[in-house]
Amino acid sequence: MGIFKDLKEDFSDAVDELVPGGDSIPDEDSSKDVPLDTTDDNIDVKDELNKLDGLLQKASKKAESGDASAFKAEANAPEKKYEKEEKAPEKDIPEDKEDKLEEKLMDQTAKENVSVQDSAPVSAAPLGQVSDEVALITSGMQIKGDLNSTGSISVEGVINGNVQCNGKLTVTGTINGNSSASEFFADSAHIQGEVSSTGTVKVGNGSVIVGNISATSAVIAGAVKGDIDVQGPVVVDTSAVVMGNIKSRSVQINNGAVIEGFCSQAYADIDVAAIFDEEEKA
């Protein structure tokens, strides 16, 4: 059997690679080594295995001493490092935690943006305060939606929506919606909606308003289809046409005006009911 011879040769090659210098391991008691018999008849398997074990122990001692130990440590160091890096578990972030992290970053960014916006100066005038600016809606312009301004507005075009301004609202175009201003003036205008003013309302000749009017004073020279509620005086001019009730402190109707409705001086200083009660008692 040549198997033991082959094992011994392979083992010797392995020891030569492990121990620097390429020298084979010296046998401390070479006189006691028994030559390997390669014949098939007279081989003691147990004895041959014992010889191989002895060689293995000698090789281990030689490798652990002197330069062989340093060589062994240096040779194994990069390999162990590679294994450590290869076996290191990857720390994957769970999807739910990743979503929460993104939400947290978005919230933080939003807070920073809000703080920047809050610190920015506000140029708009406070509500109720009138600015000097005048917005002009030209005749070729058409707006769909509400319009608000702290100043005055001049409407020559068409607005399909509510209009509110703290200053004067001048209309020579068309408004399809409610209007609110400190002063209101319509000249050849067409308005479909209520008109409210904290000051004076003037409806010029050629203007048509379909809606109620409320103000502190009013001058009507155009056509109004709706009730007029004025805390102060009302002047109905010659060219005026009013289809609705007039409620005011005092009313002046010029010759030629057309009124289809009731006139009431409900805000007058005179107590009309008390006058008639005195007459009845007398």
Side-chain angles (χ1 to χ4, degrees):
M1 294 176 61
I3 186 172
F4 291 101
K5 183 178 180 181
D6 295 336
L7 288 173
K8 186 173 182 180
E9 290 177 356
D10 294 339
F11 184 76
S12 298
D13 294 338
V15 171
D16 291 340
E17 293 178 359
L18 181 63
V19 180
D23 298 335
S24 61
I25 301 175
D27 192 352
E28 294 178 358
D29 191 5
S30 59
S31 61
K32 294 181 182 181
D33 292 341
V34 180
L36 181 62
D37 190 358
T38 60
T39 61
D40 297 336
D41 295 333
N42 298 322
I43 293 177
D44 188 350
V45 177
K46 185 175 181 180
D47 184 48
E48 294 298 331
L49 291 175
N50 290 334
K51 291 179 181 179
L52 291 175
D53 291 339
L55 289 173
L56 180 61
Q57 292 177 0
K58 292 177 183 180
S60 299
K61 291 179 180 180
K62 183 66 177 175
E64 292 175 358
S65 63
D67 296 334
S69 60
F71 174 78
K72 182 178 179 181
E74 183 179 358
N76 292 337
E79 184 177 354
K80 289 182 179 179
K81 181 179 180 181
Y82 176 77
E83 292 177 356
K84 184 176 181 182
E85 293 177 354
E86 186 178 10
K87 294 180 180 180
E90 296 181 358
K91 297 181 179 180
D92 296 334
I93 301 176
E95 293 183 359
D96 55 346
K97 291 185 178 180
E98 188 175 356
D99 295 338
K100 291 181 179 178
L101 181 60
E102 291 181 357
E103 291 178 359
K104 186 176 180 181
L105 291 174
M106 292 176 65
D107 293 341
Q108 185 176 359
T109 305
K111 290 180 180 178
E112 292 177 356
N113 292 336
V114 170
S115 62
V116 172
Q117 292 176 359
D118 292 343
S119 61
V122 180
S123 58
L127 183 63
Q129 181 176 348
V130 181
S131 62
D132 295 333
E133 62 183 8
V134 178
L136 175 61
I137 309 301
T138 61
S139 58
M141 185 179 297
Q142 183 174 356
I143 296 177
K144 293 182 180 180
D146 298 341
L147 186 63
N148 298 323
S149 175
T150 56
S152 300
I153 300 177
S154 179
V155 180
E156 298 178 3
V158 178
I159 298 177
N160 294 316
N162 301 326
V163 179
Q164 186 274 329
C165 66
N166 295 350
K168 182 179 181 180
L169 178 58
T170 303
V171 183
T172 58
T174 302
I175 295 178
N176 296 318
N178 299 330
S179 303
S180 177
S182 60
E183 290 185 51
F184 181 88
F185 176 67
D187 185 14
S188 300
H190 293 78
I191 299 171
Q192 181 134 12
E194 295 185 359
V195 176
S196 176
S197 175
T198 56
T200 303
V201 171
K202 295 180 181 180
V203 181
N205 189 10
S207 298
V208 177
I209 297 177
V210 179
N212 300 328
I213 297 176
S214 61
T216 55
S217 63
V219 177
I220 310 298
V224 177
K225 186 178 182 179
D227 295 337
I228 300 174
D229 190 347
V230 177
Q231 299 290 330
V234 174
V235 176
V236 181
D237 205 358
T238 303
S239 58
V241 177
V242 178
M243 295 183 65
N245 301 324
I246 298 175
K247 187 178 180 180
S248 64
R249 181 177 180 181
S250 64
V251 60
Q252 176 183 336
I253 303 174
N254 294 336
N255 189 21
V258 177
I259 299 176
E260 190 173 330
F262 298 98
C263 294
S264 172
Q265 283 73 48
Y267 303 117
D269 295 332
I270 299 174
D271 189 358
V272 179
I275 295 174
F276 286 103
D277 289 340
E278 291 178 358
E279 290 291 335
E280 290 178 358
K281 290 179 181 179

